[in-house]
Amino acid sequence: MIQYSIQYTETVTALAKALTVQPVLEWIANFFEKRDRFVVLEVYPDCARATRCEVSAGGKKITVGRRVHRPASKGGADPFALALQAYRRCRPFARAKVIVCLDPRFATTVASSVTLMRPRAREPISQNDLDGAIAQATWKVFDRHRARAGKKMGIDDLEITLADVAVERVTLDGHQVVSPVGFTARSLGVRCRQTFVSRATAARLVSLRPALVAEAGFFETTALARATGSDPLLFACAYDQQSAVFIEDGEAIAGRAPLPWGRASLSHAVAEAFAVDTGVAA
C-alpha cells in the first residue's frame, strides 16, 4: 500500500476539522495528475467550506493550504451561494480543479456493479462493445438506485439527474483488467460510481464547474471498506447536526437517509449530563 505524507500549512487542530480532506487521499492521488492543484468544497444546509490543496511528489504528498468557512446567516442563506463565496475567498490556484462534497440531503452517491453476459463470447471485445457495455451498465445502475435516491432526498425520482458518473473498474469473467479490448469473455462486469442530485441542484453546480461531485461521507466509507475488507459494512459519518449513513454489502456502496444526530447532539448530551456549558463539553 502506498504511504502518503501530508504537509500541513495550518495548525493540527484546524486541519483536524477538515473532514473531507483526510479520507480522500487515495482518491485524490488516483484522480489527479502527479502534480496538481485543487479545491475541496463542502456544501451543507447551514454552511459551506473551501479547502485549497496541492498534490506533488509523484502524487504521494498533499499540501493543505488556505481554508475558508462560511456559516449561514440567522435569516438563512443559499448554501450554494455560500460555497461560491468560500471558493472565491479561498483564493484558488489558477486552473485548480474542484471537488464538491454535498450534504446527504443534496446528493446520493452510489458505487454499484453490473454484470453483462456476452452472446458471442468467443469474439474479441471491440471498443464499440466496451462503449456499449459501459452505457448499458450506467443506465442499469441509474435505474436501479434512482427511486431510493429520490426518496432519501425527498424529491420525485423523475426530478433526479446525475451530477457525476465514473467507471471504477471493468472485469472479464470476474477478473479485473485495465482494458478489455481485444480479449474474449463470457461476461463483462462494470462497476460505476454515480452521484444523484435534483435538477435544481445540478443547475446550481454549473457555476462551480466541478471535476468531481460526491455525497459527503462517501469517500470515508470507501476508504474504510478497502482498509478493513468488511462485508457488509455499516458506516456513520458524524457532522455537526446529523450523521451520514452508508452501507457496503460487497456489491454496492450506497448512502441511506441521514440520522438526525451529530457532534452537536453529543456535546449537548454531555453538557446536560455534567451540568456544564456546551463549549466546555465540546
Side-chain angles (χ1 to χ4, degrees):
M1 180 179 294
I2 298 175
Q3 298 296 318
Y4 297 95
S5 62
I6 312 172
Q7 288 185 340
Y8 299 124
T9 55
E10 297 181 336
T11 65
V12 174
T13 301
L15 186 60
K17 295 179 181 178
L19 300 176
T20 308
V21 177
Q22 178 72 17
V24 304
L25 294 181
E26 184 176 345
W27 283 81
I28 290 172
N30 292 330
F31 180 76
F32 294 106
E33 304 294 336
K34 292 184 176 180
R35 183 176 180 83
D36 218 333
R37 295 171 173 179
F38 59 97
V39 175
V40 177
L41 281 179
E42 302 169 73
V43 184
Y44 304 102
D46 58 349
C47 69
R49 289 193 287 263
T51 306
R52 189 175 65 187
C53 309
E54 182 175 4
V55 175
S56 58
K60 297 182 182 179
K61 182 184 294 183
I62 297 180
T63 303
V64 180
R66 183 177 175 83
R67 187 166 183 265
V68 175
H69 176 79
R70 297 288 290 177
S73 62
K74 293 182 179 179
D78 178 2
F80 291 95
L82 292 176
L84 191 56
Q85 293 173 19
Y87 174 76
R88 289 169 176 169
R89 292 196 62 183
C90 189
R91 296 198 299 271
F93 302 106
R95 299 181 181 179
K97 295 178 180 177
V98 179
I99 300 175
V100 178
C101 293
L102 296 173
D103 183 89
R105 285 166 283 191
F106 297 146
T108 299
T109 299
V110 173
S112 184
S113 300
V114 173
T115 300
L116 305 172
M117 302 306 297
R118 301 185 64 232
R120 295 183 291 275
R122 294 185 178 182
E123 292 185 8
I125 299 171
S126 67
Q127 185 62 51
N128 287 338
D129 293 334
L130 177 60
D131 293 343
I134 290 175
Q136 189 175 350
T138 299
W139 167 251
K140 284 181 176 291
V141 171
F142 177 77
D143 190 55
R144 180 187 301 169
H145 294 281
R146 66 174 175 176
R148 184 186 58 77
K151 182 178 180 180
K152 167 180 169 286
M153 294 184 288
I155 56 178
D156 192 285
D157 61 340
L158 295 179
E159 289 298 312
I160 291 287
T161 188
L162 293 176
D164 190 274
V165 181
V167 175
E168 292 190 333
R169 65 171 178 263
V170 177
T171 60
L172 295 180
D173 294 333
H175 302 285
Q176 186 171 343
V177 295
V178 176
S179 175
V181 175
F183 291 91
T184 60
R186 291 187 297 274
S187 67
L188 193 155
V190 180
R191 184 173 179 83
C192 297
R193 184 186 75 248
Q194 299 184 356
T195 297
F196 299 81
V197 299
S198 68
R199 296 185 186 277
T201 297
R204 301 308 306 275
L205 289 172
V206 172
S207 61
L208 299 175
R209 296 178 294 177
L212 187 153
V213 180
E215 178 182 0
F218 178 81
F219 291 125
E220 291 92 328
T221 306
T222 302
L224 186 61
R226 291 180 178 178
T228 63
S230 299
D231 181 16
L233 171 70
L234 174 62
F235 178 71
C237 185
Y239 295 103
D240 291 339
Q241 302 298 328
Q242 64 174 12
S243 296
V245 179
F246 292 84
I247 293 179
E248 199 278 336
D249 60 5
E251 292 295 326
I253 299 177
R256 304 300 184 187
L259 295 175
W261 188 95
R263 290 195 302 267
S265 305
L266 179 59
S267 298
H268 286 301
V270 172
E272 183 176 344
F274 292 93
V276 297
D277 293 335
T278 54
V280 175

